[in-house]
Amino acid sequence: MAYRITLIPGDGIGPEVVTATQDVVSAAGVAVDWEVHHAGIEVAKLTGSPLPLPVIDAVRKNRVALKGPVTTPIGGGFRSVNVTLRQTLDLYANVRPIRSLPNVEPRFDVDMVIVRENTEGLYAGLELMILPGVAQSIKLTTERSSTRIAEFAFRYAKQHGRSKVTIVHKANIMKLSDGLALDCARRVAVRHPEVHLGEMIVDAAAMTMVRDPNKLGVLVTENLYGDILSDLGAGLVGGLGIVPGANIGDEAAVFEAVHGSAPDIAGKGYANPTALVQSAVMMLRHLGEHEAGDRIERALTEVYRSGQVRTRDLGGTASTGDFTRALCAAIERPRAEA
Ligand code: ATP
């Protein structure tokens, strides 16, 4: 039986990395009936909305989606499709494993996970011009969301054999909003005595990620800190071409890379598909397809270890197609030979 999965190709490099990822999933022997839906500026021109209702309904119906990046206009224009999708479907936990691959510079040995609250904070969309020349953004923090994201992080740590969760905050300055999130995490921690709770102010966390990243274990934090620290994490393991992500809610899960649509390299055929491929590995495990996920992960490690096929973001010359073919060949090779 094929899985029915919603596929949002996105724009910029989205369609290129999405096609590569479909090939990789197929090489791993998982049958998928992809239900393709489009979102973004071109769709807005046709329908008046960058994220039409049928797209949201399709994700809700299939419960699982693989998504390429969708460009967000800076300053004016429509609201981010990525943020709207996460908020509408209440995909409250954004999980971003930051893990080194062999042979990729800088050669730190990083293995940490960022769990980012996905629905509130400064992303709540509560902005107003209170006077000409005076703009205000409201940072929204609720007990409900702070508690469930901490609960998610502790459960994730237990399920993945990790002994520590670090809550990252700025409660020394934002005593009410970040103070509330910190209190909620402390209360959740009491229910999980087998997992150690660490606490760290966001600026110190940024430095610790560079100096001793594995000290943090599973890092749980509010929306904007999570966004910024994710890119810092990506930098630690070789860049945005590598790091995967999952947006998880009770109703549905959407798997997408940390990177954006990278308009500077769109259409040129040399985007690195690794981040979305690794997001698909998370998706397969979410579906219970652990063996296929492991096969892809082993093949990815093998391709990076050999060092022969690498994309330009990592100093190589391979196109997206070259890299995908090498990866599919490694997946399909019998294990003894791999
Ligand atoms: P957004 O605001 O949507 O997050 P952004 O401006 O932060 O986007 P990205 O679109 O993620 O940035 O890209 C930043 C840079 O990283 C790009 O200019 C591109 O050179 C590089 N980059 C991102 N993703 C990839 C990839 N998959 N392969 C190769 N290079 C990439």
Side-chain angles (χ1 to χ4, degrees):
M1 262 280 283
Y3 292 99
R4 195 163 177 80
I5 295 175
T6 305
L7 183 74
I8 304 172
D11 51 37
I13 59 170
E16 298 163 57
V17 293
V18 160
T19 303
T21 303
Q22 286 177 282
D23 290 348
V24 169
V25 170
S26 165
V30 181
V32 177
D33 179 8
W34 301 102
E35 188 180 322
V36 181
H37 285 268
H38 296 280
I41 189 145
E42 294 306 319
V43 178
K45 283 183 201 157
L46 291 173
T47 68
S49 164
L51 183 63
L53 214 52
V55 185
I56 295 170
D57 287 344
V59 179
R60 200 175 266 132
K61 176 182 58 122
N62 294 329
R63 299 181 67 91
V64 174
L66 184 71
K67 177 180 163 298
V70 177
T71 306
T72 303
I74 293 179
F78 56 78
R79 190 151 181 246
S80 161
V81 165
N82 314 314
V83 173
T84 310
L85 191 61
R86 294 168 193 169
Q87 290 183 348
T88 311
L89 292 170
D90 201 21
L91 306 173
Y92 63 90
N94 187 337
V95 184
R96 293 171 161 182
I98 313 279
R99 203 168 53 84
S100 304
L101 284 165
N103 262 330
V104 175
E105 301 285 346
R107 293 182 199 219
F108 299 126
D109 188 16
V110 181
D111 182 13
M112 64 175 294
V113 180
I114 296 178
V115 174
R116 165 187 176 191
E117 202 292 320
N118 228 358
T119 61
E120 296 189 340
L122 285 163
Y123 286 65
L126 302 174
E127 279 203 309
L128 54 152
M129 291 300 292
I130 45 180
L131 290 171
V134 184
Q136 185 181 47
S137 292
I138 294 171
K139 171 163 162 158
L140 182 76
T141 307
T142 65
E143 184 175 339
R144 173 178 177 265
S145 291
S146 304
T147 302
R148 73 176 175 176
I149 196 68
E151 187 63 47
F152 182 96
F154 276 92
R155 267 190 284 122
Y156 182 95
K158 281 201 236 177
Q159 282 161 6
H160 294 82
R162 291 177 184 266
S163 57
K164 184 173 180 187
V165 168
T166 302
I167 163 115
V168 171
H169 63 88
K170 190 81 182 174
N172 52 335
I173 303 298
M174 278 156 279
K175 292 178 193 293
L176 294 183
S177 53
D178 281 19
L180 173 62
L182 181 57
D183 275 350
C184 293
R186 285 175 178 163
R187 265 181 268 136
V188 169
V190 173
R191 299 203 285 265
H192 302 276
E194 63 281 42
V195 179
H196 179 66
L197 173 74
E199 296 176 9
M200 203 171 279
I201 293 175
V202 62
D203 38 344
M207 189 179 71
T208 305
M209 275 181 68
V210 175
R211 294 178 70 97
D212 193 4
N214 299 338
K215 194 173 160 184
L216 300 167
V218 176
L219 180 163
V220 58
T221 192
E222 61 94 78
N223 217 332
L224 183 62
Y225 308 153
D227 182 43
I228 296 169
L229 294 179
S230 299
D231 273 31
L232 172 57
L236 286 178
V237 296
L240 285 165
I242 305 276
V243 181
N247 301 288
I248 313 269
D250 296 331
E251 270 189 286
V254 175
F255 296 82
E256 64 181 340
V258 167
H259 64 72
S261 57
D264 53 333
I265 58 165
K268 296 188 173 151
Y270 52 74
N272 185 350
T274 302
L276 195 66
V277 166
Q278 297 214 84
S279 307
V281 168
M282 295 175 81
M283 180 186 81
L284 291 172
R285 290 184 175 140
H286 177 83
L287 291 167
E289 291 285 344
H290 294 278
E291 205 190 311
D294 292 349
R295 272 180 81 189
I296 298 173
E297 206 164 72
R298 273 197 306 270
L300 210 47
T301 305
E302 172 66 26
V303 169
Y304 275 96
R305 187 165 289 135
S306 87
Q308 282 167 10
V309 186
R310 59 174 66 223
T311 45
R312 293 185 191 206
D313 54 315
L314 300 177
T317 54
S319 67
T320 311
D322 296 335
F323 182 86
T324 308
R325 279 185 289 279
L327 181 55
C328 290
I331 293 168
E332 283 159 357
R333 214 176 293 146
R335 223 183 138 183
E337 284 178 42

